[in-house]
C-alpha cells in the first residue's frame, strides 16, 4: 500500500496543575490525515517543573517521541509521510527554547530534553508552530473548560455526544 500522509501532534502542559503535589500534567493529541489516532494525558513523573516553559518542553519531548514512533510504524508499512511532521504548542517561550540551544543557565536542568528536541527540529523531520491556548486541542485532556470551548474542541477532535443522538 502506498500513499502520502500528514502527521500532526498538539502538545501542552498545565503548569503545576495538581493541587496536591504541584506537578504538571502533560497531554498530546496525534492526528494522521486530520484524524485523531492517539492521545495521552499524564501527570509528569519528574520533579515539579520550575516554569511553564519547562513543563511545555517536557510535553513537546513526549509529542516528538510519539511523532517519531508513528513515522517508524508508517515506514514499516511502506507508507511515506508528506513533508515534515508538525508539532503545535501554545507556549512561545518553549518553542524559542527548543529552537535555540544558546539559552540562559535557567534551562540547564532540562538540557537533555532541549537537545533532543533541537536535534530533531534541525533534522527537518518535524517543524513547530505556535497555536493560541484557546485553540489547543489537547486541553480537553487536562483542563476543566467552559462548555462552549469544550464543545468546540471536542468537535475538532472528531468526537460526538452519543447521548444527544435520537
Amino acid at each position: 500500500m502506498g500513499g502520502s500522509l500528514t502527521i500532526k501532534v498538539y502538545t501542552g502542559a498545565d503548569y503545576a496543575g495538581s493541587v496536591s503535589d504541584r506537578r504538571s500534567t502533560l497531554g498530546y493529541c496525534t492526528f494522521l490525515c486530520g484524524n485523531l489516532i492517539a492521545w495521552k494525558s499524564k501527570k509528569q513523573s519528574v520533579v515539579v517543573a520550575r516554569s511553564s516553559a519547562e513543563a511545555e518542553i517536557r510535553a513537546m519531548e513526549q509529542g516528538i517521541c510519539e511523532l517519531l514512533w508513528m513515522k517508524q510504524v508508517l515506514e514499516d508499512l511502506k507508507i511515506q509521510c508528506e513533508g515534515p511532521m508538525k508539532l503545535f504548542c501554545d507556549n512561545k517561550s518553549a518553542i524559542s527554547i527548543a529552537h535555540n540551544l544558546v539559552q540562559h543557565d535557567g534551562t540547564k536542568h532540562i538540557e537533555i530534553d532541549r537537545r533532543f528536541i533541537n536535534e530533531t527540529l534541525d533534522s527537518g523531520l518535524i517543524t513547530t508552530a505556535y497555536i493560541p491556548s484557546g485553540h489547543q486541542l489537547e486541553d480537553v485532556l487536562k483542563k476543566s473548560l467552559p462548555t462552549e470551548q469544550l464543545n468546540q474542541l471536542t468537535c475538532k477532535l472528531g468526537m460526538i455526544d452519543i447521548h444527544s443522538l435520537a
Side-chain angles (χ1 to χ4, degrees), residues 9 60 63-68 71 83-88 99 116-117 120-128:
V9 68
M60 288 174 71
I64 287 175
C65 288
E66 177 73 14
L67 286 174
L68 295 174
K71 182 178 184 334
M85 298 175 284
K86 280 210 166 221
L87 182 138
F88 293 92
H99 282 280
F116 169 72
I117 293 168
T120 307
L121 296 175
D122 284 351
S123 73
L125 286 173
I126 297 172
T127 60
T128 56

Side-chain angles (χ1 to χ4, degrees), residues 68-84:
L68 295 174
W69 177 81
M70 184 57 57
K71 182 178 184 334
Q72 187 61 53
V73 168
L74 292 171
E75 285 177 355
D76 290 348
L77 296 170
K78 308 291 187 233
I79 300 172
Q80 295 298 313
C81 295
E82 183 179 293

